[in-house]
Amino acid sequence: MNAKNGMLFVVAAPSGAGKTSLLKELSKKNNRVIISISHTTRKPRDGEIEGEDYFFVDEKSFKKLIEENHFLEHARVFGNHYGTSHSFVESQIQTGKKIILEIDWQGMQKIKAKGVEIIGIFILPPDYITLEERLINRQKDSSTTIKQRMDAALDEISHYKEFDFIVVNDKFDETVAKLNEIISDPKTDHNRRNSSHDDFISKIMAQRD
Ligand code: 5GP
């Protein structure tokens, strides 16, 4: 991939950290930002729009897309398949856009393994309780799925060291500003992962018990 002007970012977060709303706001504020739209075999949630939130496809079509080499990466998450379109990313990078992939840590690893340059940003909830409350308040998933997502959230958090930047989503507007600063100047040291995040994350993990 020839990232002449544009850049590729992964923004990952445990479910319930507020990632989707943050990125929607960021793309309104910065017109160079493009959020990649993945394909998924998951059923649409209430309010989700085809071609805006995801391209919703069935298992058979997803398999066909894999065979046609359509994906830069794809993974199975919570029993559903998700994939990032290679041609979409490539064409946007050529136009100098900042492409944000809303994918998980597995996806980022697969892209890095292909030798593609990508900057990882990890969004954290301010504490464990907030994470739990946001997941429950969402009420778009069954309680079994919420429990599954809570376990997966902690698992996702355990991969924070693989990311270049850590942003704690405490105050919405400030978090959007931090994300904008990182994508506008990826050489910035602000919010770059450092040893202070180790203590913060240990505290979140400890709140589980
Ligand atoms: P949700 O079903 O809540 O929209 O997403 C569930 C998880 O799948 C999230 O962690 C999200 O980042 C991840 N995900 C969404 N699209 C992709 C994708 O194209 N590739 C990968 N690897 N993960 C994705």
Side-chain angles (χ1 to χ4, degrees):
M1 185 172 301
N2 177 13
K4 221 163 45 188
N5 303 305
M7 284 191 105
L8 198 53
F9 297 84
V10 165
V11 175
S15 290
K19 176 177 67 173
T20 304
S21 359
L22 287 166
L23 292 182
K24 279 197 174 143
E25 190 59 26
L26 177 66
S27 65
K28 273 193 223 156
K29 281 209 151 58
N30 185 334
N31 61 13
R32 283 190 73 196
V33 170
I34 296 273
I35 316 278
S36 164
I37 302 160
S38 296
H39 284 71
T40 184
T41 58
R42 165 166 83 59
K43 298 274 171 286
R45 296 191 186 113
D46 280 352
E48 282 186 329
I49 299 168
E50 163 70 18
E52 212 172 278
D53 295 286
Y54 282 104
F55 295 107
F56 297 97
V57 294
D58 59 20
E59 296 262 348
K60 201 173 156 208
S61 314
F62 196 91
K63 221 172 146 192
K64 191 156 177 277
L65 288 167
I66 296 174
E67 283 161 7
E68 289 168 357
N69 233 349
H70 181 83
F71 296 124
L72 177 59
E73 65 75 39
H74 60 91
R76 199 177 164 90
V77 188
F78 308 125
N80 297 303
H81 296 281
Y82 295 83
T84 307
S85 160
H86 195 293
S87 53
F88 177 84
V89 169
E90 179 85 26
S91 61
Q92 294 296 331
I93 274 200
Q94 298 301 336
T95 64
K97 298 284 188 192
K98 314 269 190 183
I99 321 233
I100 298 186
L101 307 182
E102 259 191 89
I103 64 178
D104 68 345
W105 64 273
Q106 304 177 69
M108 180 173 77
Q109 294 298 19
K110 287 180 187 167
I111 293 173
K112 280 190 173 171
K114 288 189 171 173
V116 175
E117 200 185 327
I118 190 158
I119 292 167
I121 306 172
F122 196 73
I123 300 176
L124 280 173
D127 50 51
Y128 181 86
I129 303 293
T130 312
L131 179 67
E132 203 170 35
E133 276 171 5
R134 285 184 189 160
L135 267 175
I136 292 166
N137 288 340
R138 225 165 152 191
Q139 282 185 347
K140 287 179 180 171
D141 295 307
S142 68
S143 56
T144 326
T145 311
I146 289 173
K147 160 92 179 68
Q148 238 180 13
R149 279 171 186 264
M150 201 60 207
D151 289 343
L154 296 172
D155 184 56
E156 184 82 27
I157 290 175
S158 71
H159 289 275
Y160 73 99
K161 284 197 173 155
E162 291 158 46
F163 292 81
D164 304 289
F165 293 92
I166 305 279
V167 175
V168 177
N169 183 18
D170 200 349
K171 298 199 172 84
F172 187 84
D173 290 343
E174 284 175 19
T175 309
V176 173
K178 284 179 191 166
L179 291 171
N180 203 16
E181 185 183 356
I182 296 167
I183 58 141
S184 304
D185 177 15
K187 292 205 164 63
T188 179
D189 281 334
H190 290 173
N191 300 294
R192 197 167 277 281
R193 183 174 51 74
N194 61 53
S195 55
S196 73
H197 295 118
D198 299 345
D199 290 343
F200 184 78
I201 281 155
S202 305
K203 275 185 201 139
I204 290 192
M205 294 301 207
Q207 286 165 23
R208 178 174 213 188
D209 309 314

